[in-house]
Every structure is written in C-alpha cells, then in structure tokens.
Amino acid sequence: MEHSNFNHSLLSFLKDSPTPFHATDSMRNALTDAGFIELFEEQSWVIDEGGKYFVTRNESSIIAFTTPQIDFHQTGWRMVGAHTDSPCLKLKPNAHVQRHGYHQLGVEVYGGALLHTWLDRDLSIAGRVSFKNQEGSIVSCLVDFKDPIAVVPNLAIHLNRQANEAFSVNPQTEILPILCGAENEFDLQVLLKTQVEKQHPDAQVATILDFELSLYDTQAPALVGLHQEYICSARLDNLLSCFVGLQALVDSDMQRPSLLICTDHEEIGSLSACGANGPFLDDVLRRLSPNPERYVQAMQRSMLVSADNAHALHPNYASKHDANHAPMINKGAVIKVNANQRYATNSETSSIYRDIAAEEDYTVQSFVVRSDMACGSTIGPITSGEIGVPTIDIGLPTFGMHSIRELAGSHDAHGLYKVLARFMKRGKLITR
Ligand code: ZN
C-alpha cells in the first residue's frame, strides 16, 4: 500500500478501534475483505494449502495466518505479534455514583494509564454488553456511544496552588467522569439497553446482564507538526503495531507461511485465556501441527517479530535516555534489547531483522534502557517463553506512551510495514 493511503487507513483504524473488542472487529473486517476465512475454536477445522484464515478468542484477541502450498514444518512461520489493549478507565460493575448534584461513573484504572491526561477531555464510552434476548439466549454485542457524553474536569489552580509543582490524581475519588446533573433521570441499564437497540435493531434485548465498558477520548487521530510528520492519537501503543502487522499480512503474497497474533491484556501482564501468557497461540499452532516433533521443528525454523512501541528521546527530557541508545521519531523502528530478558531480542534475531530492513533501505535504531532505570517489557519474552520461537522485540519510536494522546512518526509506520511484508516473504532465516 502506498504511503499516504497507508497513513489514511491507519488513522481510520485507530478511530474505529476504541477498545480491544473494536480493534479485533476492525481486523476481522479487514481480513474478511481480503479473503481470509474465519475459523471458530469450538468447531473442527479444515485447513487447505493455499488458504488464508483467522480466529478470535474472547472477541478481543485475534490470530490470522496464511498456509501457502509449502510444508511449514520445513520453512517455519513468519510471525508478527502485537497487543490490542491500551491503558484506560473501565466502568465498575455498579458504576452509577450520585454525589454533590451530579451523576458520575465509578471507574477502575486499567493498566499504567498516565492519569492526568484524562482530565478535560471529551470522553465517550465503548465496549461489550452481554444480555438475555427475547428467546432466552445470552448474547453479546459491541457498543460505541461515539458522542462525548462524559468528562473529568480539572480542579482550578486557585484551588490547588501546588498543581504545577506536584500533581497527583487519586484513582478512587478524583478520576470519576461526570455524565450530567442529578436533576436528570439516570439509569445505566436503560442507557445500555437503548444503545444496544440503536446499534443492533434485531437484538431483541430482554435484560442487560453485564458489560465491559471503557472510556475513550473522542478527539480524532490526526497528522500534526509543521510538515505533518507526526501522528497524534489515543492507543498508538499498540494499535499502531496491530495495523502495521495486519497490512503486512494482507499484502504478503503467500510465499511463506505467515501469522499475525494480536492479543489482549498486555498492559496488565498478558496472563489470561486470550492473553499472550495464555494458551491461545499454542492452541492454534498445535491444531496446525498435531505431531509434537514436527511442532518443535516448525517452531525452531520460525521467527516472531514482537512489535510494541519504543520510547523516543524527548528533547525536553533527554537525560532519561542512554546517550548511545536514544531513538528518534521518523528514523525507523527500534530494536529493543535487555540483558535481563525483559525483551526477547538476541543477536541472531536482530541480525535477521537488520538484514531484511537493509534490503528495504529502512534504518534501524537501538534501545536499551538506562542502566539505573527499570526496563519495561512486552509480549516478546512471554510468547518466546511459551512456544520456544526465536523472537525479536522491536517498536516504533513514540512520545508520551500511555498518555490518552500519544505521538509517533508519520514516516515510521509505512517503513515498518514494508519490512514486515518482506519478512513474511523471506526464505531461509539463518544457517545453523
Ligand atoms: Zn505496548
């Protein structure tokens, strides 16, 4: 896909994907449009040579793969991994709070959200609602209010003179969004029933049973900067990588068995039925390779590129980086290395990646956290530890990770897409 079309599609994907459920649905639609066939885990699978397939779990994680006419035990898989979730505010089960003349929502903080960035934003609500229908079946559907229906106003500086020196947000008492004045009637069950029926006219809702809803910023993703060299958006960590991997797979020409995995719950450690620290990928790969010996052969001939954002050097906070490992925005994807295996990169996987990037004329940067600071982590070491696949952790340089509005380079994503598409066509990875 050509560069400006790519960025245009990326912005649409980000806008259409306010939750992991919606991100998975966006990918399902794109894959279906590209001729991929949906598989269901509870059914028997018939996998054809030359086929393209995908499967979801919990509607919030997805695996898509191609099976060219080639023995994948001999070639291994070309895998790309990313995550569908981002830090946010999630509604508590009994979310309605009425205090001091306002209807508000009780929320839990999901993941390591940069909480103060949620103040003074025009917020909406989206997620999954489960209900009993008129036939007595329990079903679920996705909702997205789209309109800015909630806001968490800041406290005036006159009432907090220390705000510019030391600012903290209490997640129990100070981050509750306001919906409306208490003079209005408010019933969350009625609100959800109305919204489900509005978006799904055939749903025949009898009773709303439960929900997983989160708040999100309604400000649309945008290209910014004097030369539009930046992308500003919510959830760049890590929907940016999901989109890049998706496009690479869709545009790969089926030369090598290729696989994309995008999982939920990375921001809270990945341990769940659908998370990278759960059995989802292993379950899928074992259905494709039922013979245990051949499964191991396939894994050891495979490679996983785990793509998650990297911290770019911020000009206002340059001392936060090791001077020799300070990635720049729009200077290419970053290979992430950590001696303590917080990243799974090793010298062989990074060599393979460097070689492929060079073939695309795409620059490579390196990141190592300062030795006196703690290192983050991602799905790379977890997936590698689960299935034994050689792995590299990479990511696009980003400012403000876990802010409600993050910033990445508008030239970086398309370059990585070309590298990953080339990776998915790559023959032999390494000679042993
Ligand atoms: Zn991430």
Side-chain angles (χ1 to χ4, degrees):
M1 194 190 290
E2 181 266 322
H3 193 163
S4 68
N5 282 349
F6 183 89
N7 277 347
H8 184 74
S9 300
L10 168 60
L11 298 188
S12 299
F13 176 77
L14 292 163
K15 185 165 184 280
D16 293 342
S17 307
T19 74
F21 300 117
H22 290 83
T24 300
D25 198 45
S26 297
M27 287 189 270
R28 168 191 275 125
N29 292 336
L31 289 163
T32 303
D33 287 349
F36 283 68
I37 295 165
E38 182 161 11
L39 301 168
F40 299 91
E41 290 197 280
E42 61 274 27
Q43 297 177 3
S44 297
W45 290 2
V46 178
I47 305 294
D48 293 326
E49 280 193 359
K52 304 191 280 189
Y53 303 93
F54 70 93
V55 56
T56 69
R57 185 176 281 193
N58 188 46
E59 300 174 277
S60 63
S61 295
I62 188 165
I63 293 173
F65 56 92
T66 61
T67 53
Q69 291 173 329
I70 194 167
D71 180 2
F72 58 79
H73 302 97
Q74 295 299 321
T75 61
W77 295 92
R78 309 292 175 263
M79 303 187 204
V80 172
H83 65 87
T84 57
D85 60 319
S86 305
C88 64
L89 304 180
K90 286 199 166 182
L91 269 61
K92 291 179 177 175
N94 300 323
H96 182 208
V97 174
Q98 186 175 338
R99 50 179 198 174
H100 307 293
Y102 293 92
H103 291 298
Q104 294 184 270
L105 293 171
V107 290
E108 276 189 289
V109 179
Y110 175 83
L114 205 49
L115 270 188
H116 71 268
T117 64
W118 285 76
L119 303 174
D120 304 331
R121 295 284 176 161
D122 307 343
L123 303 174
S124 191
I125 296 171
R128 178 169 69 177
V129 177
S130 301
F131 56 91
K132 200 162 200 173
N133 67 17
Q134 305 288 0
E135 292 171 356
S137 303
I138 297 175
V139 289
S140 301
C141 65
L142 304 191
V143 296
D144 181 357
F145 284 83
K146 291 191 188 265
D147 292 332
I149 57 176
V151 61
V152 190
N154 229 314
L155 182 65
I157 195 163
H158 316 80
L159 306 179
N160 179 14
R161 292 288 181 190
Q162 308 306 313
N164 288 333
E165 284 80 52
F167 187 79
S168 67
V169 180
N170 182 306
Q172 172 65 21
T173 58
E174 295 176 344
I175 200 74
L176 283 69
I178 293 172
L179 290 170
C180 61
E183 66 278 9
N184 300 284
E185 289 276 313
F186 177 73
D187 183 325
L188 185 56
Q189 296 281 319
V190 172
L191 183 74
L192 293 180
K193 186 168 186 284
T194 306
Q195 186 65 24
V196 169
E197 287 168 343
K198 181 177 163 192
Q199 286 187 244
H200 307 276
D202 302 329
Q204 296 191 304
V205 183
T207 319
I208 300 290
L209 295 173
D210 223 323
F211 54 80
E212 290 170 75
L213 297 169
S214 49
L215 289 122
Y216 71 92
D217 186 3
T218 56
Q219 186 178 358
L223 294 175
V224 303
L226 189 56
H227 309 291
Q228 298 201 328
E229 59 263 72
Y230 307 120
I231 296 170
C232 282
S233 172
R235 304 176 297 282
L236 289 174
D237 175 12
N238 186 11
L239 295 186
L240 182 53
S241 308
C242 290
F243 181 80
V244 171
L246 175 73
Q247 290 308 318
L249 182 68
V250 163
D251 293 347
S252 75
D253 56 6
M254 303 275 292
Q255 288 185 26
R256 288 287 176 272
S258 300
L259 182 148
L260 172 72
I261 173 164
C262 299
T263 46
D264 197 358
H265 298 143
E266 189 274 344
E267 300 292 355
I268 52 166
S270 289
L271 182 56
S272 73
C274 62
N277 202 4
F280 185 31
L281 179 58
D282 192 49
D283 285 349
V284 169
L285 290 170
R286 285 190 191 281
R287 290 176 85 147
L288 300 173
S289 294
N291 178 308
E293 185 180 14
R294 301 215 82 199
Y295 175 92
V296 175
Q297 288 173 348
M299 284 312 100
Q300 294 312 313
R301 289 173 174 143
S302 301
M303 177 166 146
L304 168 68
V305 178
S306 158
D308 198 354
N309 300 34
H311 298 297
L313 176 125
H314 192 309
N316 298 348
Y317 304 94
S319 66
K320 296 292 182 186
H321 276 77
D322 178 304
N324 283 357
H325 302 92
M328 303 290 291
I329 301 266
N330 283 325
K331 292 281 177 7
V334 180
I335 296 177
K336 300 192 255 183
V337 174
N338 180 252
N340 298 303
Q341 286 294 303
R342 301 284 290 167
Y343 300 127
T345 308
N346 64 41
S347 60
E348 290 193 342
T349 55
S350 69
S351 296
I352 294 165
Y353 179 87
R354 285 175 191 280
D355 194 46
I356 297 169
E359 288 173 0
E360 274 299 333
D361 252 340
Y362 183 62
T363 47
V364 175
Q365 309 190 79
S366 291
F367 176 77
V368 178
V369 76
R370 280 180 61 111
S371 298
D372 54 5
M373 285 172 66
C375 186
S377 191
T378 179
I379 58 164
I382 293 168
T383 311
S384 186
E386 286 279 317
I387 62 169
V389 65
T391 297
I392 183 171
D393 275 299
I394 61 149
L396 294 176
T398 306
F399 288 151
M401 212 183 291
H402 293 193
S403 166
I404 200 168
R405 200 162 174 86
E406 301 167 325
L407 183 151
S410 61
H411 301 296
D412 282 330
H414 187 256
L416 180 59
Y417 148 74
K418 292 205 299 184
V419 172
L420 294 183
R422 184 174 279 263
F423 165 64
M424 288 176 172
K425 296 173 195 164
R426 174 88 168 200
K428 195 172 189 182
L429 291 171
I430 194 161
T431 302
R432 296 189 192 282

